[in-house]
Amino acid sequence: MGGPAIMLPTIREAIASMEAVIAGSVSSLSAEDSGLFGPESVSWRICREPAYAISAIAGLMMGALHPVAMAAIDQHSDYRRDAWRRAHRTTQYVFTITFGCTAVALRAAERVRLIHDRISGTDPVTGRSYRANDQDLLHWIHCANTEMALAGQQSFGRRLTPEEQDRYVSEQVRAAELVGLAGARVPTSRAELRDHVSRAELRLSPPAKTFAELLFHARMPWTMRPFWALHVAGALIILPPQVRELYGFPRWLPRGRMARAAIRTVLKAMDVAYIAFPPIRRARRHLRLVQATARS
């Protein structure tokens, strides 16, 4: 594909980025303030799993099918030139509100709201004027990300019971409120979430098509290719059939039990390998300490 392409970092740079995000997000936690969700939350459990990275890619692809939301990203984001830095900032935000202490999480959310307040424009596909803090845009992005987080967890992580899935959806109401979404609009159970997602009017706009092409044609060092392929393949597996059809993905792409089992095995191996990196080891030790103190 000609034109601009996403450039991914080396393995070393990617690991350093991940180490910084994980270590920074948990450093503010204490036994007195274990954050907005807490160590017994399903939100902690999901975000600690390697599968969450796959869910994040799938959430981006699903969210991009709202033409107005994609227009806002296309017109006010540098993802074409510096997709990795943008992904780093997004990941940092999610980990901060999930694992940071209450004050740190609230400050991070305030910064995001201030950015959204300055973003506005017109979607060339629908002709609709928008602001980044529009309730329906925030609602769709929240639902897409929450749905894909659950789908990734159920496919590649430790499976959740129906009650735990409902708890996660309910917990994420707080995350939605942090960015300015009215809590009354946010689904509080998996059934409500599926209903909201199924009723969404999705469309493959030209910017969304370009965005997907950039993901698939990203430039990267050869050492990064197996890891990127793994995550993109996992994202394609968990995307709903309607979304795969809109993007025009081939029907022959593997997405059955064997494909899921293979990805799950590699993710488990990666999770064990992370212990080799001191910042991640220290962060995990700190999380266990906070969790043990909360239970005592």
Side-chain angles (χ1 to χ4, degrees), residues 33-55:
D33 187 345
S34 56
L36 298 176
F37 299 99
E40 299 304 313
S41 66
V42 184
S43 296
W44 269 40
R45 177 173 166 181
I46 287 180
C47 278
R48 291 176 69 175
E49 296 252 7
Y52 189 76
I54 290 176
S55 301

Side-chain angles (χ1 to χ4, degrees), residues 185-217:
R185 293 194 57 166
V186 186
T188 58
S189 69
R190 185 69 192 273
E192 287 183 15
L193 178 63
R194 284 176 170 167
D195 181 60
H196 284 235
V197 171
S198 67
R199 289 190 285 109
E201 296 182 7
L202 306 182
R203 186 186 308 182
L204 183 65
S205 65
K209 183 178 180 181
T210 299
F211 176 67
E213 290 173 348
L214 289 171
L215 285 177
F216 285 111
H217 295 85

Side-chain angles (χ1 to χ4, degrees), residues 73-74 76-83 85-86 89:
I73 294 171
D74 187 55
H76 299 278
S77 170
D78 58 356
Y79 74 89
R80 282 184 170 88
R81 297 183 302 276
D82 201 356
R85 184 175 296 178
R86 184 179 188 278
R89 290 196 300 266

Side-chain angles (χ1 to χ4, degrees), residues 45-46 49 55 149-160:
R45 177 173 166 181
I46 287 180
E49 296 252 7
S55 301
L150 284 172
Q153 181 70 21
Q154 295 301 88
S155 293
F156 308 122
R158 290 171 291 176
R159 293 180 65 85
L160 303 173

Side-chain angles (χ1 to χ4, degrees), residues 107-130:
R107 283 198 298 269
E110 183 180 14
R111 288 193 294 269
V112 169
R113 292 196 304 272
L114 289 173
I115 292 172
H116 285 176
D117 287 343
R118 298 195 297 266
I119 293 176
S120 62
T122 301
D123 170 31
V125 175
T126 62
R128 174 185 156 185
S129 298
Y130 67 82

